[in-house]
Amino acid sequence: MYFLFFLAMLAATLLLYGGAVATTAITRRSPPTFIGPVAANRLQSVGIALLWWSAGVTWLLYFNVYRIHVDMSALGNAAFHAFARAYTSRLPVVVLPFGAMCLVWTLALWGVPTRVSRRALWGVATLLIISIASTPWAAGAHDLMHDSGYTDEAYNQLQFAHLVRSLAVTAATVWAHVEAWRLPSAPVA
């Protein structure tokens, strides 16, 4: 059930981003603001917190968790598949904040820029779309290893896709944090 919720968040993210891009391309102006300053300020604050969470998790997965695949494969297919099942059972703590983060930042495109400038809102949202675009390759590698067992090719595909995601999320995190630190926040009523 959580995975369907995650996919729904990603679909909403892509629709909101696509709508913002289309609106901007057609009108040659920023998307209309449906989210007022107080709500936008809070939304961007939550977005920054989710960025930090996701940046930490992506690097933890890249440097530690995914490397365990190699160790488990050395113990045989049974150990490898047991690790894969355990990893999958703990995915909600990874994917749900990631989906929420992507959704929050594309929602922010439709709000008043408060903590983060309009340019940075677009930059962060675009970097998160790039991170979403890398997801099918990482998921495909997981599927390959689930079906056929560990292979170096699938592992390298997983690591490369996840490196792209980690770099995109980290760049978005740094950009948003620098902007939020540099700009004064909007007064909260």
Side-chain angles (χ1 to χ4, degrees), residues 35-72:
I35 302 170
V38 173
N41 190 31
R42 291 181 180 147
L43 186 71
Q44 291 173 22
S45 294
V46 168
I48 289 170
L50 287 169
L51 277 167
W52 278 109
W53 167 267
S54 293
V57 167
T58 58
W59 288 110
L60 176 71
L61 290 171
Y62 181 78
F63 284 117
N64 293 324
V65 176
Y66 290 155
R67 303 225 179 206
I68 296 171
H69 286 68
V70 178
D71 299 334
M72 288 293 126

Short mmCIF file of all heavy atoms in Angstrom, two decimals, residues 35-72:
data_model
loop_
_atom_site.label_atom_id
_atom_site.label_comp_id
_atom_site.label_asym_id
_atom_site.label_seq_id
_atom_site.Cartn_x
_atom_site.Cartn_y
_atom_site.Cartn_z
N ILE A 35 -0.79 29.31 -3.39
CA ILE A 35 -0.39 29.11 -1.99
C ILE A 35 0.11 30.45 -1.48
O ILE A 35 1.06 31.03 -2.03
CB ILE A 35 0.70 28.04 -1.88
CG1 ILE A 35 0.20 26.71 -2.47
CG2 ILE A 35 1.13 27.85 -0.44
CD1 ILE A 35 1.25 25.65 -2.62
N GLY A 36 -0.53 30.95 -0.44
CA GLY A 36 -0.19 32.25 0.13
C GLY A 36 1.15 32.26 0.84
O GLY A 36 1.79 31.22 1.03
N PRO A 37 1.58 33.45 1.28
CA PRO A 37 2.91 33.59 1.88
C PRO A 37 3.13 32.76 3.15
O PRO A 37 4.19 32.17 3.30
CB PRO A 37 3.02 35.08 2.20
CG PRO A 37 1.94 35.75 1.46
CD PRO A 37 0.90 34.74 1.14
N VAL A 38 2.15 32.72 4.02
CA VAL A 38 2.34 31.98 5.28
C VAL A 38 2.47 30.48 5.00
O VAL A 38 3.39 29.82 5.48
CB VAL A 38 1.18 32.26 6.26
CG1 VAL A 38 1.29 31.38 7.49
CG2 VAL A 38 1.19 33.73 6.66
N ALA A 39 1.56 29.96 4.19
CA ALA A 39 1.61 28.53 3.85
C ALA A 39 2.86 28.21 3.03
O ALA A 39 3.49 27.18 3.23
CB ALA A 39 0.35 28.12 3.09
N ALA A 40 3.23 29.11 2.12
CA ALA A 40 4.43 28.89 1.29
C ALA A 40 5.69 28.89 2.16
O ALA A 40 6.60 28.09 1.94
CB ALA A 40 4.53 29.97 0.22
N ASN A 41 5.74 29.77 3.14
CA ASN A 41 6.87 29.82 4.06
C ASN A 41 7.02 28.49 4.80
O ASN A 41 8.11 27.93 4.90
CB ASN A 41 6.68 30.98 5.04
CG ASN A 41 7.91 31.26 5.85
OD1 ASN A 41 9.03 31.06 5.40
ND2 ASN A 41 7.71 31.73 7.07
N ARG A 42 5.91 27.98 5.31
CA ARG A 42 5.94 26.71 6.03
C ARG A 42 6.26 25.55 5.09
O ARG A 42 7.00 24.63 5.46
CB ARG A 42 4.61 26.49 6.74
CG ARG A 42 4.45 27.47 7.87
CD ARG A 42 3.17 27.30 8.63
NE ARG A 42 3.12 28.30 9.69
CZ ARG A 42 2.02 28.86 10.12
NH1 ARG A 42 0.86 28.51 9.61
NH2 ARG A 42 2.06 29.76 11.07
N LEU A 43 5.70 25.59 3.89
CA LEU A 43 5.94 24.54 2.90
C LEU A 43 7.43 24.47 2.55
O LEU A 43 8.02 23.39 2.50
CB LEU A 43 5.10 24.80 1.65
CG LEU A 43 5.11 23.75 0.57
CD1 LEU A 43 4.36 22.50 1.02
CD2 LEU A 43 4.47 24.29 -0.70
N GLN A 44 8.04 25.62 2.34
CA GLN A 44 9.46 25.65 2.00
C GLN A 44 10.32 25.22 3.18
O GLN A 44 11.35 24.57 2.99
CB GLN A 44 9.85 27.04 1.49
CG GLN A 44 9.24 27.34 0.13
CD GLN A 44 9.46 28.75 -0.32
OE1 GLN A 44 10.37 29.44 0.13
NE2 GLN A 44 8.61 29.22 -1.23
N SER A 45 9.89 25.53 4.39
CA SER A 45 10.64 25.07 5.58
C SER A 45 10.60 23.55 5.67
O SER A 45 11.62 22.90 5.93
CB SER A 45 10.04 25.67 6.85
OG SER A 45 10.22 27.06 6.86
N VAL A 46 9.42 22.97 5.46
CA VAL A 46 9.28 21.50 5.46
C VAL A 46 10.10 20.91 4.32
O VAL A 46 10.78 19.89 4.48
CB VAL A 46 7.80 21.09 5.35
CG1 VAL A 46 7.64 19.61 5.05
CG2 VAL A 46 7.05 21.47 6.62
N GLY A 47 10.08 21.57 3.17
CA GLY A 47 10.86 21.11 2.02
C GLY A 47 12.35 21.06 2.31
O GLY A 47 13.03 20.10 1.93
N ILE A 48 12.87 22.07 3.00
CA ILE A 48 14.29 22.08 3.34
C ILE A 48 14.63 20.93 4.29
O ILE A 48 15.63 20.24 4.13
CB ILE A 48 14.70 23.45 3.91
CG1 ILE A 48 14.68 24.49 2.78
CG2 ILE A 48 16.08 23.39 4.56
CD1 ILE A 48 14.83 25.92 3.23
N ALA A 49 13.77 20.70 5.27
CA ALA A 49 14.00 19.59 6.20
C ALA A 49 13.97 18.25 5.46
O ALA A 49 14.83 17.38 5.70
CB ALA A 49 12.95 19.60 7.30
N LEU A 50 13.01 18.08 4.56
CA LEU A 50 12.94 16.82 3.79
C LEU A 50 14.14 16.65 2.87
O LEU A 50 14.60 15.53 2.64
CB LEU A 50 11.63 16.76 3.00
CG LEU A 50 10.37 16.50 3.82
CD1 LEU A 50 9.12 16.74 2.96
CD2 LEU A 50 10.37 15.09 4.38
N LEU A 51 14.65 17.76 2.33
CA LEU A 51 15.86 17.68 1.50
C LEU A 51 17.04 17.16 2.31
O LEU A 51 17.78 16.28 1.84
CB LEU A 51 16.21 19.05 0.92
CG LEU A 51 15.47 19.47 -0.34
CD1 LEU A 51 15.68 20.95 -0.62
CD2 LEU A 51 15.90 18.63 -1.53
N TRP A 52 17.23 17.68 3.52
CA TRP A 52 18.34 17.21 4.35
C TRP A 52 18.18 15.74 4.68
O TRP A 52 19.15 14.98 4.65
CB TRP A 52 18.45 18.04 5.63
CG TRP A 52 19.17 19.32 5.39
CD1 TRP A 52 18.62 20.57 5.38
CD2 TRP A 52 20.55 19.49 5.06
NE1 TRP A 52 19.59 21.50 5.08
CE2 TRP A 52 20.78 20.87 4.89
CE3 TRP A 52 21.62 18.61 4.91
CZ2 TRP A 52 22.03 21.38 4.57
CZ3 TRP A 52 22.86 19.12 4.60
CH2 TRP A 52 23.06 20.49 4.42
N TRP A 53 16.97 15.32 5.02
CA TRP A 53 16.71 13.91 5.32
C TRP A 53 17.07 13.05 4.10
O TRP A 53 17.80 12.08 4.21
CB TRP A 53 15.24 13.73 5.69
CG TRP A 53 14.79 12.30 5.70
CD1 TRP A 53 14.22 11.61 4.67
CD2 TRP A 53 14.91 11.36 6.77
NE1 TRP A 53 13.95 10.32 5.04
CE2 TRP A 53 14.37 10.15 6.33
CE3 TRP A 53 15.40 11.44 8.06
CZ2 TRP A 53 14.33 9.02 7.13
CZ3 TRP A 53 15.36 10.32 8.87
CH2 TRP A 53 14.83 9.12 8.39
N SER A 54 16.55 13.44 2.95
CA SER A 54 16.76 12.63 1.74
C SER A 54 18.21 12.62 1.29
O SER A 54 18.70 11.60 0.81
CB SER A 54 15.85 13.12 0.62
OG SER A 54 14.50 12.86 0.95
N ALA A 55 18.90 13.74 1.44
CA ALA A 55 20.32 13.76 1.06
C ALA A 55 21.10 12.78 1.93
O ALA A 55 21.93 12.01 1.43
CB ALA A 55 20.89 15.17 1.20
N GLY A 56 20.83 12.78 3.20
CA GLY A 56 21.51 11.84 4.09
C GLY A 56 21.20 10.40 3.76
O GLY A 56 22.09 9.55 3.71
N VAL A 57 19.93 10.13 3.50
CA VAL A 57 19.52 8.76 3.19
C VAL A 57 20.11 8.30 1.86
O VAL A 57 20.57 7.16 1.75
CB VAL A 57 17.98 8.63 3.19
CG1 VAL A 57 17.52 7.32 2.58
CG2 VAL A 57 17.45 8.77 4.61
N THR A 58 20.13 9.17 0.85
CA THR A 58 20.66 8.73 -0.45
C THR A 58 22.13 8.36 -0.35
O THR A 58 22.57 7.37 -0.93
CB THR A 58 20.47 9.80 -1.56
OG1 THR A 58 21.12 11.02 -1.17
CG2 THR A 58 19.02 10.05 -1.86
N TRP A 59 22.91 9.15 0.40
CA TRP A 59 24.33 8.83 0.54
C TRP A 59 24.54 7.60 1.42
O TRP A 59 25.45 6.81 1.18
CB TRP A 59 25.13 10.02 1.05
CG TRP A 59 25.25 11.06 -0.01
CD1 TRP A 59 24.66 12.28 -0.04
CD2 TRP A 59 25.97 10.95 -1.25
NE1 TRP A 59 24.97 12.95 -1.21
CE2 TRP A 59 25.78 12.15 -1.96
CE3 TRP A 59 26.76 9.96 -1.82
CZ2 TRP A 59 26.35 12.39 -3.21
CZ3 TRP A 59 27.33 10.19 -3.08
CH2 TRP A 59 27.12 11.39 -3.75
N LEU A 60 23.71 7.42 2.44
CA LEU A 60 23.78 6.22 3.26
C LEU A 60 23.53 4.98 2.41
O LEU A 60 24.26 3.98 2.50
CB LEU A 60 22.76 6.28 4.41
CG LEU A 60 22.68 5.03 5.28
CD1 LEU A 60 23.94 4.91 6.13
CD2 LEU A 60 21.44 5.07 6.13
N LEU A 61 22.52 5.05 1.56
CA LEU A 61 22.24 3.92 0.66
C LEU A 61 23.41 3.68 -0.29
O LEU A 61 23.84 2.55 -0.50
CB LEU A 61 20.96 4.17 -0.13
CG LEU A 61 19.66 4.13 0.66
CD1 LEU A 61 18.50 4.62 -0.21
CD2 LEU A 61 19.38 2.75 1.19
N TYR A 62 23.92 4.76 -0.88
CA TYR A 62 24.99 4.63 -1.87
C TYR A 62 26.26 4.04 -1.26
O TYR A 62 26.85 3.12 -1.83
CB TYR A 62 25.29 5.99 -2.50
CG TYR A 62 26.36 5.93 -3.54
CD1 TYR A 62 26.06 5.46 -4.82
CD2 TYR A 62 27.66 6.31 -3.27
CE1 TYR A 62 27.05 5.37 -5.78
CE2 TYR A 62 28.65 6.24 -4.23
CZ TYR A 62 28.34 5.76 -5.49
OH TYR A 62 29.32 5.68 -6.45
N PHE A 63 26.70 4.56 -0.12
CA PHE A 63 27.98 4.12 0.44
C PHE A 63 27.89 2.89 1.33
O PHE A 63 28.89 2.20 1.49
CB PHE A 63 28.63 5.26 1.23
CG PHE A 63 29.25 6.30 0.35
CD1 PHE A 63 28.78 7.60 0.37
CD2 PHE A 63 30.30 5.99 -0.50
CE1 PHE A 63 29.35 8.56 -0.44
CE2 PHE A 63 30.88 6.94 -1.31
CZ PHE A 63 30.40 8.24 -1.28
N ASN A 64 26.73 2.63 1.92
CA ASN A 64 26.66 1.53 2.88
C ASN A 64 25.70 0.42 2.48
O ASN A 64 26.11 -0.73 2.34
CB ASN A 64 26.27 2.06 4.28
CG ASN A 64 27.34 2.92 4.86
OD1 ASN A 64 28.51 2.67 4.67
ND2 ASN A 64 26.95 3.96 5.55
N VAL A 65 24.44 0.75 2.33
CA VAL A 65 23.43 -0.30 2.15
C VAL A 65 23.60 -1.05 0.84
O VAL A 65 23.59 -2.29 0.83
CB VAL A 65 22.00 0.30 2.27
CG1 VAL A 65 20.95 -0.74 1.98
CG2 VAL A 65 21.80 0.91 3.65
N TYR A 66 23.77 -0.33 -0.26
CA TYR A 66 23.89 -1.03 -1.54
C TYR A 66 25.18 -1.84 -1.64
O TYR A 66 25.24 -2.83 -2.35
CB TYR A 66 23.75 -0.06 -2.71
CG TYR A 66 22.35 0.49 -2.86
CD1 TYR A 66 22.12 1.70 -3.48
CD2 TYR A 66 21.24 -0.21 -2.38
CE1 TYR A 66 20.85 2.21 -3.62
CE2 TYR A 66 19.97 0.30 -2.51
CZ TYR A 66 19.78 1.50 -3.13
OH TYR A 66 18.51 2.00 -3.27
N ARG A 67 26.19 -1.45 -0.93
CA ARG A 67 27.45 -2.21 -0.94
C ARG A 67 27.29 -3.56 -0.24
O ARG A 67 28.06 -4.48 -0.47
CB ARG A 67 28.55 -1.40 -0.29
CG ARG A 67 28.71 -0.08 -1.00
CD ARG A 67 30.08 0.27 -1.26
NE ARG A 67 30.06 1.55 -1.98
CZ ARG A 67 31.02 1.92 -2.77
NH1 ARG A 67 32.03 1.14 -2.95
NH2 ARG A 67 30.96 3.06 -3.39
N ILE A 68 26.29 -3.65 0.63
CA ILE A 68 26.03 -4.93 1.30
C ILE A 68 25.58 -5.98 0.29
O ILE A 68 25.80 -7.18 0.49
CB ILE A 68 24.99 -4.75 2.43
CG1 ILE A 68 25.56 -3.84 3.52
CG2 ILE A 68 24.58 -6.08 3.04
CD1 ILE A 68 24.56 -3.43 4.58
N HIS A 69 25.01 -5.56 -0.84
CA HIS A 69 24.63 -6.50 -1.89
C HIS A 69 25.82 -7.37 -2.30
O HIS A 69 25.68 -8.57 -2.50
CB HIS A 69 24.09 -5.77 -3.12
CG HIS A 69 22.72 -5.20 -2.95
ND1 HIS A 69 22.45 -4.16 -2.12
CD2 HIS A 69 21.55 -5.54 -3.54
CE1 HIS A 69 21.17 -3.85 -2.19
NE2 HIS A 69 20.60 -4.69 -3.05
N VAL A 70 26.96 -6.75 -2.44
CA VAL A 70 28.17 -7.47 -2.85
C VAL A 70 28.53 -8.51 -1.80
O VAL A 70 28.81 -9.68 -2.13
CB VAL A 70 29.34 -6.49 -3.08
CG1 VAL A 70 30.60 -7.24 -3.45
CG2 VAL A 70 28.98 -5.46 -4.15
N ASP A 71 28.52 -8.11 -0.53
CA ASP A 71 28.86 -9.03 0.55
C ASP A 71 27.88 -10.19 0.64
O ASP A 71 28.28 -11.34 0.83
CB ASP A 71 28.91 -8.30 1.89
CG ASP A 71 29.96 -7.20 1.91
OD1 ASP A 71 30.94 -7.33 1.14
OD2 ASP A 71 29.80 -6.24 2.67
N MET A 72 26.60 -9.89 0.52
CA MET A 72 25.57 -10.93 0.62
C MET A 72 25.65 -11.91 -0.54
O MET A 72 25.41 -13.10 -0.38
CB MET A 72 24.17 -10.32 0.69
CG MET A 72 23.86 -9.64 1.99
SD MET A 72 23.79 -10.82 3.34
CE MET A 72 24.94 -10.10 4.47
#
